[in-house]
Amino acid sequence: MSLTIVRLYHDLLGTYGDQGNAEVLVHRAQARGIDVELVEVTPHEPVPTSGDIYLLGGGEDGPQTVALEMLRTDGGLTAAVNSGASVFAVCAGFQLIGTRLPNSQGRTIDGLGLVDVETIYTDEPRCVGELVIRYSQTITQPIMTGFENHQGRSVLGAGVTPLGHVLSGIGNGRDGVDCVRPEGVHVAKVFGTYMHGPALVRNPALADAVLEGACGPLAEYVDEFAEALAAERRTTLWP
Ligand code: GLN
């Protein structure tokens, strides 16, 4: 089996180290004997539509707005997702795949609309610090950790499922059903989160969930070092 992972614009959306998510997916796929190609797309290059997993990272408001306009003009990411590709998008990337968000001048603009999530700016303090969530899916290790650093608050559309629920930190920043604070989004093969880290380094189970969305059930693989790192963060932040 083969897998194409497309890392989008990490020179615009790599401020927080989220480009490392690609290396984790490559490593964990290869460990299962999957043949992986990592395609690097820099700004102004066409976005291929034949990828299996597309990765977007976080960035400041200016580069985020530039990346959104380039992705909109290019159309490749939207076409790929409409044909069934997976997306793992972090922070600025999560915001720009939603329906509406503020641009670098604070004016509300349309996002790519791949998921029904609207991001707004309020005069509340910036969300900065460690984030601990309980992942919504049934997996062996549902507690996940990351580092958040964002001004935007994201509101999920009615019935849209978050990636998880906040145990500690801010996450999407707005209460959901029954005052539970949602974090990120997970609809079909589209994942969004505020967790930097990179998130997939700190949460191997989440990396496997993204891979399984693209490849189907995976063979057992335990990376002792990755598991020890993830466990150290979990037990320190959510004892
Ligand atoms: N510019 C966005 C915000 O502050 C995203 C920040 C980020 O990607 N860390 O909300």
Side-chain angles (χ1 to χ4, degrees):
M1 142 151 230
S2 70
L3 183 73
T4 303
I5 297 172
V6 182
R7 179 160 54 191
L8 294 167
Y9 305 163
H10 82 80
D11 21 15
L12 289 173
L13 300 175
T15 319
Y16 300 86
D18 302 313
Q19 57 268 43
N21 289 325
E23 274 74 23
V24 174
L25 293 177
V26 169
H27 172 74
R28 297 186 74 83
Q30 286 175 339
R32 270 70 174 233
I34 298 169
D35 187 20
V36 190
E37 184 188 10
L38 175 58
V39 177
E40 210 56 75
V41 178
T42 60
H44 304 297
E45 278 181 354
V47 176
T49 55
S50 56
D52 299 298
I53 302 175
Y54 290 76
L55 300 174
L56 288 163
E60 302 88 345
D61 298 356
Q64 174 181 16
T65 305
V66 171
L68 169 58
E69 293 310 334
M70 284 196 291
L71 289 169
R72 194 198 314 285
T73 305
D74 178 275
L77 174 61
T78 301
V81 172
N82 289 341
S83 308
S86 303
V87 178
F88 185 75
V90 182
C91 205
F94 165 40
Q95 295 174 356
L96 70 79
I97 63 170
T99 50
R100 311 263 285 160
L101 68 157
N103 71 2
S104 45
Q105 274 82 48
R107 198 166 53 81
T108 303
I109 55 169
D110 287 341
L112 295 182
L114 303 180
V115 278
D116 184 8
V117 181
E118 176 167 359
T119 296
I120 53 172
Y121 276 5
T122 69
D123 51 14
E124 293 163 283
R126 192 171 178 85
C127 312
V128 183
E130 294 287 343
L131 178 60
V132 185
I133 72 166
R134 181 182 295 278
Y135 184 47
S136 305
Q137 309 288 311
T138 312
I139 53 169
T140 48
Q141 182 41 260
I143 308 292
M144 303 200 170
T145 73
F147 189 87
E148 62 182 329
N149 185 349
H150 54 104
Q151 184 63 40
R153 268 66 173 174
S154 297
V155 183
L156 304 177
V160 174
T161 43
L163 181 68
H165 296 105
V166 176
L167 298 175
S168 169
I170 308 291
N172 292 1
R174 282 282 181 270
D175 286 350
V177 178
D178 297 332
C179 297
V180 172
R181 272 182 296 158
E183 204 293 308
V185 69
H186 181 188
V187 175
K189 295 178 175 183
V190 179
F191 298 74
T193 182
Y194 276 112
M195 294 188 293
H196 300 292
L200 301 185
V201 172
R202 286 176 60 159
N203 305 287
L206 184 55
D208 284 355
V210 174
L211 283 176
E212 283 189 343
C215 309
L218 296 169
E220 174 81 13
Y221 169 64
V222 179
D223 178 333
E224 308 260 337
F225 183 76
E227 294 300 336
L229 173 75
E232 187 281 328
R233 290 288 75 204
R234 277 196 308 272
T235 49
T236 301
L237 299 170
W238 191 249

